[in-house]
Amino acid sequence: MVDSGALETLLLEAISEKEEDRAIVERSISYIDEIHPIASKYLSKNRLKLKACLGVTWAIQYPEKLFSFIDEQIRSVKWEESKVLERCFEQLKSI
């Protein structure tokens, strides 16, 4: 699958120079290949699959740094409009 996306390919190849990191890259690629059929909405093009491979690799190598992005995502959600949370908190109110 690593055949398009010059920057991502270069980065994955550079990461793979260390044996222990090569295993992470290879398994990240396998994971994205495996999940692609269910995630095709998000990984509709090969270049997006490649970006996902790099993202999974970095998430494993630097899990704490990933949370700064996740924090931004959490803060951008309009939680007060969430039907799921409304139902959840309704149950808590009854307790």
Side-chain angles (χ1 to χ4, degrees):
M1 186 203 65
V2 183
D3 58 2
S4 61
L7 180 59
E8 291 83 359
T9 300
L10 180 67
L11 288 168
L12 288 167
E13 288 177 4
I15 293 167
S16 293
E17 289 179 341
K18 292 182 181 175
E19 187 175 337
E20 65 273 12
D21 290 329
R22 183 178 319 116
I24 294 170
V25 169
E26 289 171 354
R27 289 185 179 174
S28 296
I29 292 168
S30 294
Y31 172 70
I32 295 303
D33 285 341
E34 177 186 332
I35 200 165
H36 179 257
I38 356 177
S40 60
K41 170 183 172 184
Y42 304 104
L43 305 173
S44 59
K45 297 180 174 129
N46 280 339
R47 69 179 184 79
L48 297 176
K49 286 174 63 177
L50 192 54
K51 289 178 184 299
C53 290
L54 184 57
V56 169
T57 299
W58 281 342
I60 293 166
Q61 291 177 315
Y62 310 104
E64 289 185 12
K65 289 188 178 190
L66 183 66
F67 275 93
S68 61
F69 168 74
I70 291 172
D71 185 54
E72 286 178 34
Q73 294 295 103
I74 290 171
R75 292 176 190 275
S76 73
V77 173
K78 294 182 179 181
W79 297 107
E80 64 278 4
E81 296 175 11
S82 169
K83 298 295 180 192
V84 171
L85 288 177
E86 184 179 325
R87 285 194 310 268
C88 176
F89 285 110
E90 280 301 318
Q91 291 176 9
L92 287 175
K93 285 180 186 177
S94 67
I95 296 176

